[in-house]
Amino acid sequence: MAASGTIEFRIDRRSGVATYLQIVQQTRRALRLGLLEPGDKLPTAREVVEATAINPNTVLKAYRELEREGLVEARRGLGTFIRKTLGASPAADSPYRQGLADWVASASEGGLDREDMAALFDSVLNDHFPQENS
C-alpha cells in the first residue's frame, strides 16, 4: 500500500492465492482502510506489470473483477477509477487500530510470527462470524 489515493500492489508468489485475486484483495483492503477513495485512479496495467513482473492479462482480469463488483470503472483512454468505497468509515482512523497494533507488538514479543498471528486472528474472526466461513 502507499499514500492516500495511490496503491502499490505486492505480489506474493508463495501465498497460494491467484495473482489476480491478490490485486483484487489489496484493492478491497485499500478501499476499506480509506487509502483509496472514489475518483482515485488505479495504476495502469503497464505500471503494475513493470512493478511486479506479472502478465498484463492478469492485471486486466483483476480490474475486470473489480469492475464487475462495481468498485471501479474503466474510462476508455483515461484509466481505471475507483467508483465507491467499502466500509462505514475508514478503518485506518479507527480507534481499534492502535489496540490491534499493540496486540501485534505483544504477540511478536511473545514469539509469534506473521503467519501465526494471521492464523490466530482468522480463527477468532471465524468464531465471531461463523456464517461467513463457507
Side-chain angles (χ1 to χ4, degrees):
M1 299 297 161
S4 180
T6 63
I7 188 169
E8 294 176 11
F9 296 111
R10 303 278 185 236
I11 304 304
D12 181 356
R13 298 179 197 302
R14 298 172 293 144
S15 73
V17 176
T19 304
Y20 88 96
L21 280 178
Q22 291 183 49
I23 293 171
V24 170
Q25 291 168 349
Q26 289 174 38
T27 302
R28 285 186 195 134
R29 188 175 308 120
L31 288 168
R32 194 162 297 282
L33 292 172
L35 299 173
L36 290 173
E37 298 177 349
D40 288 342
K41 183 178 180 204
L42 290 178
T44 65
R46 176 178 287 161
E47 291 168 339
V48 176
V49 167
E50 289 173 359
T52 62
I54 61 174
N55 188 303
N57 290 327
T58 301
V59 180
L60 296 175
K61 182 176 182 178
Y63 284 12
R64 279 192 305 273
E65 175 65 18
L66 291 164
E67 189 168 20
R68 188 189 65 72
E69 294 176 12
L71 298 175
V72 303
E73 70 176 322
R75 297 181 193 156
R76 192 167 203 77
L78 297 175
T80 303
F81 294 83
I82 299 297
R83 285 188 63 202
K84 68 178 188 177
T85 190
L86 291 172
S89 63
D93 295 334
S94 170
Y96 302 109
R97 182 174 174 78
Q98 186 58 51
L100 187 56
D102 293 343
W103 177 83
V104 168
S106 176
S108 180
E109 290 171 10
L112 296 181
D113 65 16
R114 180 186 179 101
E115 289 183 18
D116 295 334
M117 287 182 239
L120 184 58
F121 190 78
D122 283 343
S123 173
V124 171
L125 281 176
N126 290 337
D127 289 347
H128 284 277
F129 300 99
Q131 70 278 8
E132 298 177 17
N133 290 343
S134 48

